[in-house]
Amino acid sequence: MIIASLRRIAALIIGGASLRTQVAIIGAGPAGLLLGQLLHTYGIDNVILERQTPDYVLGRIRAGLLEEGTVALLDEVGAAERARREGLVHHGVELAFGGARHRIDMKAATGKTVTIYGQTEVTLDLMNARSAAGLTTIYQATHVRPYDFDTDHPRVSYVKDGVTHEIACDFIAGCDGFHGVSRSSVSSSAIQTFERIYPFGWLGILSETPPVSHELIYTNHARGFSLCTMRSMHRSRYYVQCPLDDRIDQWPDERFWDELKWRLDQEAADNLVTGPSIEKSIAPLRSFVAEPMRFGRMFLAGDAAHIVPPTGAKGLNLAASDVHYLSHGLREYYDEKSSAGIDGYSEKALRRVWKAVRFSWWMTAILHRFPNTEGFDARIQFAELDYLVSSKAATVSLSENYVGLPY
Ligand SMILES: Cc1cc2nc3c(=O)[nH]c(=O)nc-3n(C[C@H](O)[C@H](O)[C@H](O)COP(=O)(O)OP(=O)(O)OC[C@H]3O[C@@H](n4cnc5c(N)ncnc54)[C@H](O)[C@@H]3O)c2cc1C
């Protein structure tokens, strides 16, 4: 620690000048960008440090389903105009098993809907809002390190164009994703982690084809799970469960489409429009939670603190609810000189996080083929799905979690 501090001081003497801000945010993903805009709306100065270029960040094809709470936060920062205009509002979702499809009417069950709008678009809208507000984002900042967050004078150092700089701040927000530096800067004795690794991955493709159905289709099939989703009325996103050690080059487009058709009901398979993939990737599935989400004057938010399998479409939405709680806590700190909000941040955020972790784990458990899904386990999955589509109470329970629990 002492050697690292000396190195940092030496580098600063040789290198660049120091910046000062109220909140230094590490990471310009959805969590960091949304937090930056919320803080700006509340009059709190912030600087974002991002390791990648803007194009790289915008090129990552990830989430695509927004809860109403997430859209409301985009509204709050004036970045929801395009999501409201171009996003597809879904009132329901379809579950397919035993060769038949069953619609769950979430709007009827909860009064709420979800919006299909890609993470890349959310990120672009937030980036545009940030530059329109003239806020500082330092892209291609390497060797980013949070320091002294257990004191009243936290700092973040980084290297830009070969020169070391430092940001002095009141607080650090670690919004730097699962592999970021914030969580790994915390002493292992101060953090507890919980993890479940699933024995399969999701092979996903994006194609310029109309979606097979106007709502999402989640399928439980003997060959494995599949999901039909979309980004717009002319761009589809499809997934099939695959072995963890599969490689993309083993999955030419034709093989992917054939496999997807196998898993769909006859009507969907007949209606599926195929075409060349414009993106193809394999994602491992994992549940992970780090506790607590606050370490002195550093907070973790989004994937930096937790990961969920994408089955429940909760990752991006959890990042949004975290920064909602955090921005409110920081606003209270600056406006009302009260630390109650930031003191309660970790507990409040984790209560919602664990419910989403539970929901995503459960959705994963009932829809996928595990190594032991045969005989008894397969019958239990079927019974659970059958109960879900035939019981009003079960339908409401699924729906209220799917559309997003209240903040
Ligand atoms: C392949 C994939 C598919 C997914 N699909 C879905 C889905 O369908 N539905 C869903 O809800 N969720 C999905 N997710 C999850 C969702 O994308 C994340 O939950 C969401 O991106 C979280 O946002 P974040 O801002 O917390 O983290 P991130 O989006 O990971 O952003 C973190 C940012 O920090 C930057 N960073 C990292 N380290 C440093 C550093 N040392 N210094 C500076 N910057 C750093 C990164 O470059 C990145 O821009 C998916 C995730 C992956 C990986």
Side-chain angles (χ1 to χ4, degrees):
M1 190 76 171
I2 293 168
I3 292 173
S5 294
L6 288 174
R7 269 207 207 108
R8 181 167 51 91
I9 292 162
L12 275 168
I13 291 166
I14 302 164
S18 222
L19 255 173
R20 158 104 208 140
T21 187
Q22 286 173 302
V23 182
I25 300 172
I26 305 177
L33 288 166
L34 182 56
L35 178 64
Q37 288 314 108
L38 286 165
L39 294 180
H40 171 69
T41 308
Y42 306 153
I44 302 169
D45 183 48
N46 63 87
V47 169
I48 299 185
L49 289 169
E50 166 60 50
R51 183 172 55 184
Q52 306 288 355
T53 62
D55 283 349
Y56 183 94
V57 173
L58 286 172
R60 286 187 301 223
I61 306 295
R62 290 184 169 184
L65 185 149
L66 309 184
E67 296 173 357
E68 284 186 4
T70 304
V71 179
L73 287 172
L74 293 173
D75 257 332
E76 190 180 343
V77 300
E81 192 265 326
R82 209 160 59 93
R84 292 223 179 264
R85 182 163 35 89
E86 295 176 14
L88 305 173
V89 175
H90 283 191
H91 291 203
V93 66
E94 293 195 283
L95 296 180
F97 56 96
R101 268 195 267 162
H102 308 263
R103 182 167 187 271
I104 302 276
D105 190 335
M106 297 175 305
K107 170 90 172 167
T110 65
K112 292 186 179 170
T113 58
V114 294
T115 300
I116 301 299
Y117 190 67
Q119 177 167 334
T120 45
E121 308 307 315
V122 172
T123 309
L124 178 63
D125 295 344
L126 287 168
M127 279 180 176
N128 287 340
R130 190 165 178 85
S131 55
L135 303 175
T136 308
T137 310
I138 299 161
Y139 285 97
Q140 293 178 284
T142 63
H143 302 88
V144 174
R145 289 301 304 264
Y147 287 96
D148 298 341
F149 46 84
D150 50 352
T151 74
D152 286 345
H153 304 285
R155 289 159 197 285
V156 183
S157 66
Y158 65 97
V159 175
K160 173 80 182 169
D161 299 328
V163 180
T164 301
H165 304 262
E166 187 172 271
I167 302 181
C169 53
D170 300 333
F171 298 101
I172 299 169
C175 300
D176 46 352
F178 184 66
H179 299 288
V181 66
S182 304
R183 193 181 70 248
S184 60
S185 302
V186 174
S187 136
S188 57
S189 61
I191 196 166
Q192 200 178 0
T193 58
F194 303 86
E195 187 167 45
R196 169 129 325 164
I197 308 271
Y198 299 89
F200 39 72
W202 276 21
L203 167 65
I205 73 166
L206 191 67
S207 64
E208 289 291 354
T209 52
V212 66
S213 167
H214 71 285
E215 289 177 344
L216 273 61
I217 308 174
Y218 286 85
T219 304
N220 174 311
H221 189 274
R223 293 179 71 95
F225 166 83
S226 71
L227 171 61
C228 301
T229 177
M230 66 210 66
R231 292 296 179 264
S232 67
M233 288 317 288
H234 51 83
R235 183 171 278 199
S236 299
R237 181 79 166 152
Y238 295 107
Y239 296 97
V240 294
Q241 172 186 348
C242 69
L244 258 183
D245 51 4
D246 271 14
R247 298 184 319 273
I248 288 298
D249 57 17
Q250 295 172 292
W251 284 94
D253 289 357
E254 309 75 58
R255 182 180 170 206
F256 179 89
W257 293 120
D258 286 347
E259 187 59 44
L260 179 61
K261 281 184 185 171
W262 271 108
R263 299 182 190 192
L264 296 178
D265 63 276
Q266 196 56 51
E267 188 196 350
D270 290 345
N271 288 339
L272 183 71
V273 179
T274 64
S277 62
I278 50 176
E279 196 268 353
K280 195 187 291 174
S281 52
I282 294 179
L285 268 64
R286 175 201 307 263
S287 302
F288 173 90
V289 182
E291 293 184 359
M293 288 169 63
R294 178 193 181 175
F295 306 89
R297 283 181 169 254
M298 181 169 78
F299 306 92
L300 301 181
D303 278 17
H306 41 73
I307 295 281
V308 285
T311 326
K314 291 288 164 236
L316 171 61
N317 293 299
L318 275 184
S321 58
D322 284 354
V323 301
H324 161 78
Y325 295 131
L326 181 55
S327 60
H328 274 241
L330 289 166
R331 179 189 208 175
E332 216 175 298
Y333 176 86
Y334 286 108
D335 285 358
E336 297 165 28
K337 312 283 175 254
S338 161
S339 62
I342 55 173
D343 290 346
Y345 165 69
S346 177
E347 196 190 330
K348 209 172 199 179
L350 281 167
R351 284 185 76 174
R352 193 172 190 279
V353 164
W354 272 111
K355 290 187 188 99
V357 169
R358 183 207 69 82
F359 178 67
S360 307
W361 159 82
W362 171 76
M363 286 276 281
T364 305
I366 62 170
L367 287 167
H368 291 75
R369 290 282 127 169
F370 287 73
N372 62 351
T373 310
E374 56 192 36
F376 183 86
D377 295 278
R379 293 289 196 284
I380 290 289
Q381 277 192 344
F382 187 91
E384 178 123 33
L385 288 163
D386 199 20
Y387 174 59
L388 265 181
V389 299
S390 55
S391 153
K392 191 172 171 207
T395 296
V396 171
S397 171
L398 166 73
S399 300
E400 71 177 1
N401 280 280
Y402 196 82
V403 299
L405 295 173
Y407 288 179

